[in-house]
Amino acid sequence: MPLWGPLLLPWVMGAVLAFLDGRRAWVAWLAIAGLAGTLVCTAWLLPQAWSAQAPQFVTGDWPVGVGIRLRADQLSIVFALVSTAVLLGTLVYEHVAGGITSRSFPALVVFMGAGLTGVFFTSDAFNFYVFFELAMTSAFALASYGEKPRNLRAAFTFVVVNLMGSTLFLSAVVMLYLTTGTLDMLSIIAWGQAGPPFALMVPGTLLLCAFGVKLGFFPFHFWAPAVYRDAGPTVAALLAGALANIGSYGLLRFGADVLPQVLAQARPLLEILGATSILYGSVLALSRRDTREVLAYASISHAGLIIAALSLAGREGLCAAVALALAGSVDKTALFLAQDRGGERARRAYSVAAFSTAGVPPTAGFWAKAWLLRAALEQGHAWLAGLVVLASALSLLALFRAYQRERWLREGAALHRGTGAVVYALSLALIAAGLWPEPLLRAGRDAIQGLGTLP
C-alpha cells in the first residue's frame, strides 16, 4: 500500500460528500465506508512502518527542503489508527442513533479524518500546520452541530480559544524557519544537534502553548468544560477522543523528536504543569454535578498524566505518554457516547470506560497508568506516583458519583442495537487491551523507537 493511499482517500471522499445531503442514509453509509477504507489503508502500512525503513516520499520528486516530505513511522501509524477508529465509531453511532440532522455532518467528519491523517503522516512543520488547520476548521463547524443555543455557545468558545492556539503554532513555525532555514523536520533535528542549545527555546515554548490549548491541560484548559458541556455528546466524543490527539502527538513529535533539547530544558516546568493538571482536574471533577462537566475535568486530569509522563527523562516516560494517549482516546469516546443513552448496555460501557480512566484492572487504562507509575518510581519521583494514585481514586469516585446521580444510565431508554454495538465495541477494546496488554505495550515501546529522544 503506497503512503498516499490513506492520505488521498479521505480527501476524495470528503470532496464528494460535500456536495451530497448527509441526512440521507446512503450518504452516511458512504462516509462510513470512506473512513473504514482509510482505516484499512492505514493498517496496511503497519508492516512497512515496523520495518527497518519507514515508508516515505517527497512530493513531486523535488529535493528535500523544496518538496514536502511525508513519512509514516510507528508513532504516526498508531495515532492514525486510533484516531480514525474513533471517528469511524462515532460516525456510525450518530447515524444509527436516530439519523444525522445536518447535511454537512458526514463530510465534516471525513475532512477531520483527512486533516488528522495528514498531521500524523507529514514530516514538514508548515504542512503540519496546514493539516492541523483542516482538522480544526472541520471541528469549528462540527462544534455547532445541533444548532441549539448551547451548541452555538460551545462553537463560539471553541473557535475563539483554538484560533489563539493556531496563531501560536503558526508563529512557532515562522520562527523555526527563520532560525533554521528549513521546515523539514528531519533537517530541523540535524540543525538542532549542531546549533546553539538555546536557539530554539522560544519557538519550542510557543509550540508547548499551542499544543497545550489543543490537549487542554492546566492552564490551557479553560475552554474544555464549557465546550464539552454544551456540545452534543457525539461532537464531544469527536473532540475529546480524536481531535485532542493532535495535542498529545504534537508534543511527542516536536518535543521528543524535533526539539529534544527544548524538552530537556522544559521538564521541570512540565512536571509542575502535569501535577497541577492531575490534581486540579480530579478535584474539580469530584465537585461537579453536571455529568459532562465531570467528564471534561476528568479529561483535563488525563491530559496532566500525559504531560507528567513527558516530564520524566528517558524512554519509559515517553512510552507511558503514548500508552496514556491511546487508551485515553478510547476512554473518553466511550464515556461521552455512553452518557448519551440509557439502559443496561450504556451502563456497562460507561462502567468499563470509567474503570479504565481511573486505571482499574483489567483495562487498558490500568496498564498505561502502571507504566507511568513504574517510570516515576524508577526515577525517584515517588511523590508523582502517589499523586497519580490519589487522582485515580478521585476520578473513579467522581465518575461513579455522576453515574449514581444520572437516571439516564439506570432507567433511560435502551440503546439502539447499532449504537449499543459501538459502545460495546469500545468497552470490549478496553477490556481486551487489559487482558492482553502486549499490543498496547508494544505500541508504546515501538512508537518512540525512531524519535530523536535523549537517553
Side-chain angles (χ1 to χ4, degrees):
M1 169 63 63
L3 179 55
W4 50 260
L7 288 168
L8 185 61
L9 179 58
W11 275 96
V12 174
M13 291 300 300
V16 171
L17 291 165
F19 294 96
L20 302 176
D21 188 349
R23 293 168 293 188
R24 297 180 179 274
W26 69 270
V27 176
W29 284 115
L30 181 62
I32 291 168
L35 285 176
T38 303
L39 186 64
V40 171
C41 291
T42 304
W44 206 277
L45 292 171
L46 277 170
Q48 300 176 55
W50 257 257
S51 63
Q53 185 66 36
Q56 66 175 16
F57 70 90
V58 180
T59 57
D61 290 329
W62 289 95
V64 174
V66 179
I68 296 170
R69 191 202 306 257
L70 298 170
R71 187 168 180 266
D73 59 10
Q74 295 98 319
L75 183 67
S76 305
I77 289 292
V78 295
F79 269 91
L81 282 173
V82 171
S83 299
T84 306
V86 166
L87 293 175
L88 175 61
T90 306
L91 182 57
V92 172
Y93 181 94
E94 180 65 14
H95 174 53
V96 300
I100 293 170
T101 59
S102 169
R103 63 174 293 124
S104 60
F105 185 85
L108 289 171
V109 174
V110 173
F111 272 127
M112 182 186 286
L116 289 173
T117 304
V119 162
F120 300 141
F121 285 170
T122 188
S123 189
D124 180 273
F126 184 74
N127 203 39
F128 190 107
Y129 170 76
V130 172
F131 284 116
F132 174 101
E133 283 304 302
L134 173 63
M136 293 306 303
T137 302
S138 301
F140 293 159
L142 284 169
S144 64
Y145 178 65
E147 299 182 358
K148 297 177 182 177
R150 62 183 181 86
N151 304 138
L152 298 175
R153 184 168 59 246
F156 180 78
T157 303
F158 185 72
V159 169
V160 170
V161 174
N162 281 276
L163 282 177
M164 179 182 67
S166 299
T167 302
L168 292 172
F169 185 81
L170 182 58
S171 300
V173 170
V174 172
M175 294 186 71
L176 281 175
Y177 182 73
L178 291 175
T179 304
T180 65
T182 181
L183 293 170
D184 181 71
M185 292 184 185
L186 299 182
S187 300
I188 294 174
I189 294 172
W191 191 96
Q193 292 171 346
F198 295 100
L200 300 177
M201 190 63 67
V202 174
T205 303
L206 292 176
L207 287 171
L208 170 65
C209 296
F211 292 129
V213 172
K214 306 306 177 187
L215 187 56
F217 63 86
F218 184 92
F220 308 105
H221 67 285
F222 47 88
W223 61 271
V227 172
Y228 290 155
R229 180 194 64 217
D230 293 334
T234 306
V235 173
L238 289 171
L239 299 181
L243 192 71
N245 286 337
I246 292 179
S248 50
Y249 175 82
L251 288 168
L252 283 161
R253 176 63 70 192
F254 281 91
D257 193 18
V258 180
L259 305 172
Q261 64 276 25
V262 177
L263 177 62
Q265 296 295 327
R267 280 195 173 113
L269 174 62
L270 291 177
E271 191 169 10
I272 294 172
L273 294 179
T276 305
S277 297
I278 293 169
L279 189 59
Y280 175 85
S282 300
V283 172
L284 267 292
L286 193 60
S287 69
R288 289 299 184 266
R289 299 191 63 83
D290 187 287
T291 301
R292 294 186 190 177
E293 287 191 357
V294 172
L295 299 184
Y297 283 106
S299 298
I300 293 169
S301 179
H302 185 270
L305 294 173
I306 298 174
I307 298 303
L310 286 171
S311 73
L312 300 173
R315 293 182 174 271
E316 289 301 308
L318 296 178
C319 293
V322 173
L324 285 164
L326 299 180
S329 181
V330 182
D331 290 343
K332 291 180 284 187
T333 305
L335 285 169
F336 277 110
L337 293 183
Q339 65 90 45
D340 184 37
R341 298 281 166 147
E344 185 69 15
R345 284 177 286 184
R347 182 183 67 82
R348 292 177 180 176
Y350 181 94
S351 299
V352 170
F355 281 135
S356 184
T357 300
V360 177
T363 59
F366 166 75
W367 292 103
K369 285 194 174 182
W371 210 337
L372 175 58
L373 289 174
R374 186 180 73 172
L377 292 174
E378 285 180 351
Q379 298 182 30
H381 295 264
W383 69 270
L384 179 59
L387 183 61
V388 171
V389 173
L390 174 63
S392 297
L394 293 176
S395 295
L396 184 63
L397 181 59
L399 290 169
F400 277 94
R401 282 185 65 190
Y403 166 80
Q404 290 176 335
R405 285 194 300 264
E406 295 295 339
R407 298 186 61 177
W408 41 257
L409 274 173
R410 293 176 283 112
E411 302 173 4
L415 280 170
H416 182 278
R417 182 176 298 178
T419 56
V422 173
V423 296
Y424 253 42
L426 293 169
S427 59
L428 288 175
L430 293 171
I431 294 176
L435 295 174
W436 184 41
E438 181 56 30
L440 175 65
L441 300 180
R442 183 180 177 186
R445 286 194 302 267
D446 293 351
I448 65 145
Q449 292 304 313
L451 304 184
T453 56
L454 298 175

